[in-house]
Amino acid sequence: MNQAEKETYLREYSILKNEGKPFFPYAVAKDSIMAAIVIFVIMFLSLMFGAELGPKADPTTTTYVPRPDWYFFFLFEVLRVMKNVPVFTPMATIGVPTICMILLFLLPFYDRSPERRIERRPVALSAAIFTIAAMAYLTYSGANTGSPNSVDMKPPANLTAAQKQTFTAGALVVGQSGCLACHVIGSNGNNGPGPPLTKIGSKLPPAAIASTLVNPTAPMPSFKSLAQQTPQKFQNLVGFLSLLQ
Amino acid sequence: MPRLPAPPLPKVLQPKPPRPGDEENGNVLSPVEAGITVVDWLDERTSLSPGLRWLLWRKVPRGINWAYTLGSATLFAFLSQAVTGVFLAMYYRPDPAGGAYESMRYINDDVFLGKFVHGMHKWGASVMVILIFLHMGRVFLYGAYKYPRELTWIIGVTLLILTLMMGFTGYLLPFDQKAYWASVVGVNINSGGPFIGPFLSDFLRAGPEFGATTLSRFYAIHMLLIPGAIIALIGLHLYLVTKLGITAPPWIKVDNGSEPDLVQRTEA
Ligand code: HEM
């Protein structure tokens, strides 16, 4: 807006304001009705859905699925998708949300036209529709990502029968142990904080995989007790991971 | 007798003038008069009434509709969170070793109306997030962020971020499995951020690992740091809204008949 446009706006606005009604009691009355609706809805939700507590937090369990509150689903989904592009990982996880935030902050500075009617602001209208659609889609797909407690993968066709058996058995252990809470394997699991395991078998030999499982870097829990108590399961776990090529 | 300025009430709400034959009060101070005396005493010492008049008896442009109540609805949801939060804080203990989860259990199972207040706080958070997005949508569609209200918008975006941070820090406090693991992952995502990412994560965790002091840190941030900032910024936001006036809906046009320069412009 240039100086003339600014002055026109201020002049027209002061006329409209003078033709208006006093804030108290007219606007206050509407606001109070709205406030009553808000408190009613909050109480209703509380009575209907309560506030259940889950089991107590246990840093040593590994079977737990991290789930944020629904209004962060879109963010988790962005991160999940972005992490599959390894080159951009550090940039994308924080970079994309940061850029969106900055764009939001600076909106009044790059949208400088004096036009205020939405039907005459095609760019703003399309941006709004696109943003709402994207947020709705991301929230929806974030809410529906497969249960991180099971690995949904077929053994590759080139394996021997015994390898296939190890693969299926190990995939089950991975699901039960909650690895997918922090790692992605193919299209399963959350990407982060741990590295993706989709091709871990081609990066680490089985012995290195086994020793990482027993002596991991924090915050990953150790699977030492699994190795001692049920060595067969542990073998299957290592076997499955080394078959991920 | 001291008199307050009469509010511009609609006809029906205006007090009727006394009619002859009505009972006289004599020398006894009626409650209204007593109230006025107290207000007058305060005003003589604080000079608050011009400020209140400025806040309450300013004009709002013609044509404003229900979408304009979304901002104050957000404010009201925040106040509800503050009140229910104070009641939860009376019972909550931010001690991960054996306190946090148990104290939430106690609130849910034993405290009178505990589960209800806990539920109001929990669902109130979602309601506030929805309202803040709707309010922002109204401001966007009406072009209300444009000159001269850019700063109001910027403060608003800051409020949006702070509100989401309230959701994030509050989520850990019940200290159940869901809370714990979502926060571990959330903080770890933070550490991947550029420049301040690792420092921010260390700050949130109170150290390189998710440990005993993390919970009390989240608690302090959730109930002191961010609410303080939100209250201060809402104050600024509303000061600007009052100072600059609320936008008229963009489709309302000035009558061509009215002559701009004849209208007094002291209001703006
Ligand atoms: C805690 C959060 C917030 C509270 C309590 C709040 C409160 C309010 C209130 C009471 C108004 C008066 C007009 C109305 O209700 O529509 C207002 C106006 C405004 N708000 Fe907010 N707001 C919040 C967040 C935001 C956000 C997130 C934005 C945008 C990013 C924003 C931008 C604005 C602007 C630009 C106006 C002026 C609109 C006009 O004059 O028509 N606010 N706010």
Side-chain angles (χ1 to χ4, degrees):
Chain A
M1 284 172 98
N2 59 33
Q3 197 57 35
E5 285 163 343
K6 286 180 181 173
E7 277 169 16
T8 313
Y9 175 75
L10 289 181
R11 195 165 56 241
E12 295 192 347
Y13 176 68
S14 79
I15 295 172
L16 288 176
K17 192 174 170 183
N18 260 311
E19 289 170 349
K21 290 178 171 178
F23 177 73
F24 179 88
Y26 295 97
V28 170
K30 271 188 182 173
D31 286 348
S32 313
I33 294 173
M34 193 64 179
I37 296 175
V38 167
I39 199 79
F40 179 80
V41 168
I42 293 177
M43 287 186 183
F44 176 79
L45 289 172
S46 172
L47 287 175
M48 282 303 285
F49 303 108
E52 292 306 326
L53 280 177
K56 185 178 175 180
D58 180 357
T60 58
T61 51
T62 47
T63 48
Y64 208 77
V65 189
R67 266 256 174 258
D69 226 343
W70 65 268
Y71 43 84
F72 286 121
F73 281 172
F74 76 98
L75 206 59
F76 259 47
E77 188 63 10
V78 170
L79 302 180
R80 210 175 65 84
V81 175
M82 284 303 169
K83 278 244 182 161
N84 292 334
V85 197
V87 197
F88 299 120
T89 302
M91 259 305 293
T93 49
I94 297 286
V96 170
T98 310
I99 291 172
C100 293
M101 272 336 330
I102 293 176
L103 283 180
L104 199 61
F105 261 113
L106 294 184
L107 172 67
F109 300 101
Y110 55 82
D111 175 14
R112 308 177 71 96
S113 89
E115 185 55 63
R116 283 163 206 250
R117 300 184 65 154
I118 191 66
E119 66 272 23
R120 299 195 194 137
R121 292 153 59 207
V123 180
L125 184 59
S126 351
I129 292 173
F130 173 77
T131 310
I132 292 171
M135 294 277 274
Y137 173 75
L138 287 172
T139 302
Y140 175 79
S141 57
N144 288 301
T145 22
S147 158
N149 277 343
S150 67
V151 184
D152 186 20
M153 272 174 115
K154 294 250 171 321
N158 59 350
L159 298 185
T160 65
Q163 278 175 325
K164 275 185 185 161
Q165 220 170 15
T166 314
F167 190 97
T168 327
L172 198 66
V173 183
V174 166
Q176 289 165 348
S177 311
C179 309
L180 299 175
C182 305
H183 296 281
V184 70
I185 300 180
S187 56
N188 305 284
N190 289 312
N191 218 321
L197 300 179
T198 313
K199 293 192 185 316
I200 191 71
S202 55
K203 287 179 196 143
L204 290 179
I209 293 180
S211 73
T212 310
L213 287 170
V214 175
N215 296 312
T217 9
M220 176 166 152
S222 168
F223 289 87
K224 197 169 173 179
S225 60
L226 187 73
Q228 283 163 353
Q229 283 157 15
T230 44
Q232 187 53 46
K233 276 191 176 179
F234 189 75
Q235 283 313 316
N236 286 338
L237 178 59
V238 174
F240 167 74
L241 290 172
S242 23
L243 288 173
L244 292 172
Q245 308 262 346
Chain B
M1 201 190 75
R3 292 188 69 88
L4 284 176
L9 289 173
K11 266 262 160 50
V12 275
L13 292 181
Q14 275 168 12
K16 300 210 166 50
R19 298 157 126 251
D22 280 356
E23 270 199 35
E24 292 289 333
N25 261 333
N27 282 335
V28 187
L29 220 56
S30 75
V32 177
E33 282 169 328
I36 290 175
T37 314
V38 171
V39 169
D40 196 56
W41 186 92
L42 281 175
D43 197 40
E44 200 178 335
R45 281 150 189 85
T46 57
S47 305
L48 274 179
S49 74
L52 275 179
R53 217 172 317 160
W54 175 76
L55 183 71
L56 292 178
W57 294 325
R58 67 190 146 111
K59 283 191 169 175
V60 291
R62 77 183 154 87
I64 69 166
N65 55 36
W66 284 95
Y68 285 78
T69 61
L70 290 167
S72 73
T74 316
L75 174 65
F76 192 73
F78 175 75
L79 291 180
S80 160
Q81 291 302 89
V83 173
T84 50
V86 166
F87 281 105
L88 292 178
M90 289 175 184
Y91 297 94
Y92 180 73
R93 271 173 295 143
D95 177 3
Y101 181 75
E102 285 75 8
S103 65
M104 288 313 289
R105 266 259 105 89
Y106 179 71
I107 292 176
N108 263 9
D109 299 344
D110 295 326
V111 177
F112 176 62
L113 288 183
K115 194 165 189 185
F116 179 59
V117 172
H118 180 191
M120 279 182 71
H121 198 71
K122 175 180 167 162
W123 293 101
S126 293
V127 169
M128 182 172 172
V129 169
I130 292 175
L131 286 172
I132 200 172
F133 274 112
L134 290 178
H135 171 55
M136 188 168 93
R138 194 285 284 174
V139 167
F140 183 86
L141 289 182
Y142 284 33
Y145 54 87
K146 298 187 176 204
Y147 174 85
R149 298 183 182 81
E150 298 93 331
L151 194 56
T152 321
W153 170 269
I154 290 178
I155 293 172
V157 179
T158 318
L159 280 169
L160 175 70
I161 295 173
L162 289 176
T163 303
L164 291 178
M165 280 166 66
M166 284 299 266
F168 177 69
T169 51
Y171 203 59
L172 175 66
L173 301 183
F175 218 65
D176 56 5
Q177 285 281 63
K178 190 171 65 167
Y180 180 81
W181 288 104
S183 305
V184 169
V185 174
V187 172
N188 275 310
I189 287 171
N190 245 315
S191 66
F195 314 121
I196 58 162
F199 299 103
L200 192 61
S201 297
D202 281 356
F203 171 72
L204 283 174
R205 277 186 302 237
E209 272 174 46
F210 222 86
T213 38
T214 311
L215 184 62
S216 48
R217 193 159 283 210
F218 267 58
Y219 185 48
I221 296 175
H222 182 78
M223 74 143 198
L224 291 171
L225 188 62
I226 306 182
I230 289 187
I231 290 169
L233 287 174
I234 288 184
L236 257 178
H237 196 72
L238 294 187
Y239 167 75
L240 286 176
V241 168
T242 311
K243 166 94 177 54
L244 299 169
I246 292 173
T247 47
W251 55 85
I252 300 273
K253 279 290 159 251
V254 178
D255 286 342
N256 283 330
S258 52
E259 177 54 61
D261 286 337
L262 293 181
V263 178
Q264 70 178 82
R265 264 199 270 157
T266 47
E267 299 280 332

